Amino acid sequence: GAVVSQHPSRVICKSGTSVKIECRSLDFQATTMFWYRQFPKQSLMLMATSNEGSKATYEQGVEKDKFLINHASLTLSTLTVTSAHPEDSSFYICSARDLSVLSTDTQYFGPGTRLTVL
Amino acid sequence: QKEVEQNSGPLSVPEGAIASLNCTYSDRGSQSFFWYRQYSGKSPELIMSIYSNGDKEDGRFTAQLNKASQYVSLLIRDSQPSDSATYLCAVRLSSASKIIFGSGTRLSIRP
């Protein structure tokens, strides 16, 4: 099956610093990747849709200048949390669509990155 | 009205019994439906996808879709303690490429 990796799996940083999270599709090409955030005991909330070679589409209420998304290649998307604050502490999960499987449009999830801002 | 609705649970089912999880959605034009399982502290993993009305079976899991009623369900036969997790229903909206998730149902299988 399709594999999506994320790095780092866990990060602890001081308030005010920026954190970059990488999402890679390992065995397929993903023209579209998605970034989700999940707070404890809550469901996944879509933050933005990342398209290779173009600007990301952000969901309502998500600050695009704070959460910078870059999708530079068909296998890599990055999310940078700029000037992180404690309220940004959350579980960030990326997913990617494997469009090579013509009969389905399944999204596969990375293992997630747990961000803790002190 | 939420786009994808699930009962948050917890749903407690004895080991060996059938667990039934339900989900309703608001976008009548939606065509793709998914069930994901999420263990605490982990990311979701795909259990099943379903695109046509009726039942789709995969091992102990059966997904059921009724587009007229805007309803999708997941049955887990012979429930095992390892099935204890949060089950997320997800729907791809007809107007966009994004998938919207329900809030999830916590399932607990008691020995």
Side-chain angles (χ1 to χ4, degrees):
Chain A
V3 179
V4 177
S5 70
Q6 267 184 258
H7 178 80
S9 59
R10 184 181 297 269
V11 59
I12 300 173
C13 68
K14 293 182 179 180
S15 183
T17 59
S18 294
V19 175
K20 179 185 283 189
I21 303 170
E22 292 186 349
C23 176
R24 293 180 186 274
S25 55
L26 298 185
D27 51 2
F28 66 99
Q29 293 185 329
T31 55
T32 304
M33 291 184 173
F34 303 87
W35 287 95
Y36 293 84
R37 178 168 57 181
Q38 186 176 37
F39 293 106
K41 300 192 184 304
Q42 294 186 26
S43 189
L44 284 76
M45 296 302 297
L46 179 66
M47 299 176 66
T49 301
S50 169
N51 298 296
E52 187 266 337
S54 64
K55 291 183 179 181
T57 302
Y58 290 82
E59 294 300 300
Q60 189 173 9
V62 178
E63 299 175 59
K64 62 180 181 181
D65 294 330
K66 181 171 183 62
F67 299 99
L68 301 179
I69 291 174
N70 183 277
H71 193 155
S73 76
L74 288 173
T75 60
L76 173 65
S77 176
T78 60
L79 168 68
T80 301
V81 183
T82 62
S83 187
H85 292 284
E87 58 266 29
D88 298 322
S89 298
S90 188
F91 191 42
Y92 292 85
I93 312 172
C94 73
S95 72
R97 294 177 66 183
D98 183 357
L99 294 177
S100 67
V101 183
L102 298 179
S103 62
T104 69
D105 59 351
T106 303
Q107 275 181 220
Y108 297 92
F109 283 85
T113 297
R114 189 161 302 282
L115 170 65
T116 302
V117 185
L118 302 177
Chain B
Q1 181 186 8
K2 291 184 180 179
E3 291 170 306
V4 181
E5 295 208 50
Q6 295 180 256
N7 188 319
S8 62
L11 175 64
S12 181
V13 173
E15 185 175 356
I18 296 175
S20 178
L21 304 163
N22 304 313
C23 172
T24 58
Y25 59 95
S26 61
D27 181 9
R28 185 170 289 278
S30 297
Q31 298 294 323
S32 306
F33 308 88
F34 309 88
W35 282 100
Y36 287 85
R37 177 175 61 197
Q38 186 177 26
Y39 293 111
S40 180
K42 302 294 185 182
S43 69
E45 57 178 317
L46 180 70
I47 297 176
M48 297 200 52
S49 58
I50 186 167
Y51 304 93
S52 304
N53 278 328
D55 295 359
K56 179 180 178 182
E57 186 175 318
D58 183 0
R60 295 187 297 114
F61 299 96
T62 299
Q64 299 174 318
L65 175 62
N66 184 325
K67 291 184 180 180
S69 300
Q70 295 174 238
Y71 175 93
V72 58
S73 65
L74 179 71
L75 301 178
I76 306 174
R77 290 181 298 281
D78 188 23
S79 296
Q80 303 296 311
S82 59
D83 295 327
S84 297
T86 296
Y87 288 79
L88 302 169
C89 172
V91 178
R92 187 177 305 286
L93 303 182
S94 57
S95 61
S97 63
K98 60 186 180 182
I99 284 179
I100 300 299
F101 284 83
S103 57
T105 298
R106 276 195 300 131
L107 175 65
S108 176
I109 306 300
R110 57 181 189 271

